[in-house]
Amino acid sequence: MSEAKLTSSTAAGQVESLLSVVDIKKHYQVKTGFMKPEANVKALDGVSFNLDKGKTLAVVGESGCGKSTLARVLTMIEQPTAGELRFDGQDVLGLGAEAAKVLRQKIQIIFQNPYGSLNPRKKVGTILEEPLVINTSLSKHARKQKALDMLAKVGLRPEHYDRYPHMFSGGQRQRIAIARGLMLDPQVVVADEPVSALDVSVQAQVLNLMMDLQQEMGLSYIFISHDLSVVEHIADEVMVMYLGKAVEYGSCEAIFNDPKHPYTQALLSSTPRLDPAHRREKIKLQGELPSPLNPPQGCAFHARCRYANERCAQQQPQLVNESGTQVACFAREEGRL
Ligand code: SF4
């Protein structure tokens, strides 16, 4: 894991990342059935990372690993159960309602499904201007100008301002969703599977647009995805999650060139690679992701892991630094892998 990398100065002269997340948790009480006791589901169970200005952290893992809960907590749609969230040096969770509202504008979200996330009854111009109506005192004219500028930035034309979402292709709709996410000039964008609903041929165009906008506007991204082949092109750092915890966290280069955790290795082995020199032995993952309602004891991955031993079934591995990457695996610690 990168040490806190340095973007903003604190009063003590120290510097810290734009976004710092420390041991964040989100637990839910869930009913398990009639007359049955409630269960405590640990959707997010102690995740930490730093994000610097202009950088992209990809969060990857199977559906149900806690990625989308993390997105909702980071964008303050949901309050975490415990942990610390600092934005530009400020403790986000300790803020009053007014200050939190202002700060919330700085961290915006783009959802996976451009079909469901845009109101079909509203014109594109209205959709784009809505965040400005709610959060700013800009005049009608200024709002329209900003919407037209943003349409141009995402590669759409002025005449699109008066059209409805159904008149656009999937890729164009995701451009509109991106434009709406940027209307309040955020510094951090949490993109929750932003291209997974799109045709493969369109995915690259939208990813390129996101990278261009990052350069132009100095954006930082939390890029949530189950698709490692997409992540490789856009991420600076990668965090691999399994059942609410990070199991590996490091630079994109290190994760792709030398994946250390058995789960990361299995995920990467099923990612298609064009270059034969970089093709990997296919590792078939046994079984499904366990239910968070009934998580296994010990390492949550042990029932699917080909390196598991007795200790793995009893104890939970913690993240340990290994050549600049953080890995939670006993087989690594014991030199068995
Ligand atoms: Fe596999 Fe054990 Fe490592 Fe978990 S701790 S990933 S079960 S070897």
Side-chain angles (χ1 to χ4, degrees):
M1 174 168 58
S2 51
E3 298 297 323
K5 284 179 277 169
L6 316 175
T7 48
S8 69
S9 299
T10 65
Q14 294 170 310
V15 279
E16 60 180 72
S17 295
L18 181 62
L19 186 67
S20 287
V21 173
V22 184
D23 205 15
I24 208 97
K25 295 180 179 163
K26 181 69 191 177
H27 297 176
Y28 299 97
Q29 289 298 117
V30 182
K31 283 205 183 306
T32 53
F34 183 61
M35 300 285 279
K36 289 197 177 153
E38 287 192 331
N40 187 30
V41 171
K42 297 176 176 174
L44 213 53
D45 198 25
V47 170
S48 303
F49 61 84
N50 294 311
L51 177 68
D52 288 348
K53 185 172 165 53
K55 299 291 182 188
T56 299
L57 168 71
V59 180
V60 299
E62 290 162 286
S63 168
C65 71
K67 310 179 301 261
S68 291
T69 304
L70 180 63
R72 290 197 299 277
V73 166
L74 292 178
T75 46
M76 291 171 257
I77 295 170
E78 290 195 41
Q79 280 283 318
T81 310
E84 200 178 314
L85 183 56
R86 298 184 73 81
F87 178 81
D88 213 8
Q90 271 186 301
D91 172 12
V92 174
L93 303 176
L95 291 174
E98 260 319 293
K101 186 182 168 195
V102 173
L103 200 65
R104 218 173 280 139
Q105 298 173 25
K106 299 290 166 201
I107 308 176
Q108 293 288 314
I109 189 162
I110 297 168
F111 292 103
Q112 171 181 6
N113 186 350
Y115 298 90
S117 68
L118 302 174
N119 188 332
R121 284 186 290 276
K122 291 185 177 169
K123 290 182 177 174
V124 168
T126 310
I127 291 171
L128 295 187
E129 288 175 34
E130 222 160 34
L132 301 178
V133 173
I134 296 167
N135 294 288
T136 73
S137 54
L138 287 179
S139 68
K140 198 166 180 241
H141 175 77
R143 291 198 302 263
K144 179 165 184 179
Q145 194 50 55
K146 187 147 190 180
L148 290 170
D149 290 347
M150 198 54 80
L151 281 177
K153 272 196 174 122
V154 300
L156 295 172
R157 296 194 300 277
E159 59 267 32
H160 291 146
Y161 179 92
D162 280 316
R163 294 190 187 164
Y164 289 94
H166 75 268
M167 301 163 90
F168 294 89
S169 67
Q172 285 175 319
R173 283 186 222 194
Q174 198 56 310
R175 286 172 189 264
I176 298 165
I178 291 170
R180 182 182 54 185
L182 299 179
M183 286 300 285
L184 291 170
D185 301 318
Q187 288 174 263
V188 174
V189 173
V190 179
D192 190 1
E193 303 269 12
V195 296
S196 60
L198 305 176
D199 288 348
V200 174
S201 57
V202 182
Q203 288 186 354
Q205 294 168 17
V206 173
L207 287 176
N208 285 338
L209 170 68
M210 288 183 68
M211 288 192 278
D212 290 346
L213 291 167
Q214 180 170 46
Q215 287 279 319
E216 192 181 333
M217 301 174 74
L219 298 168
S220 306
Y221 289 140
I222 303 282
F223 191 95
I224 290 175
S225 178
H226 67 279
D227 185 347
L228 277 160
S229 57
V230 167
V231 160
E232 188 171 12
H233 298 289
I234 196 163
D236 297 293
E237 292 194 311
V238 177
M239 182 166 73
V240 181
M241 286 187 64
Y242 194 82
L243 220 62
K245 286 180 180 291
V247 296
E248 185 160 359
Y249 176 27
S251 73
C252 188
E253 201 187 349
I255 299 271
F256 277 86
N257 290 341
D258 182 21
K260 295 180 169 62
H261 194 281
Y263 180 57
T264 316
Q265 292 174 350
L267 286 182
L268 274 172
S269 80
S270 57
T271 304
R273 311 212 94 190
L274 291 177
D275 181 356
H278 288 98
R279 290 208 183 122
R280 299 184 168 92
E281 174 211 357
K282 180 107 174 121
I283 304 166
K284 192 161 170 14
L285 270 178
Q286 307 294 326
E288 302 286 319
L289 188 75
S291 164
L293 273 173
N294 190 18
Q297 224 197 325
C299 172
F301 188 58
H302 81 261
R304 304 170 81 187
C305 179
R306 55 183 179 163
Y307 301 100
N309 64 10
E310 224 8 70
R311 185 185 179 198
C312 303
Q314 305 296 329
Q315 299 173 20
Q316 269 190 12
Q318 303 300 317
L319 287 170
V320 172
N321 197 326
E322 190 186 326
S323 324
T325 300
Q326 299 252 330
V327 196
C329 176
F330 293 134
R332 300 292 308 188
E333 278 179 50
E334 294 162 5
R336 296 189 285 115
L337 168 62

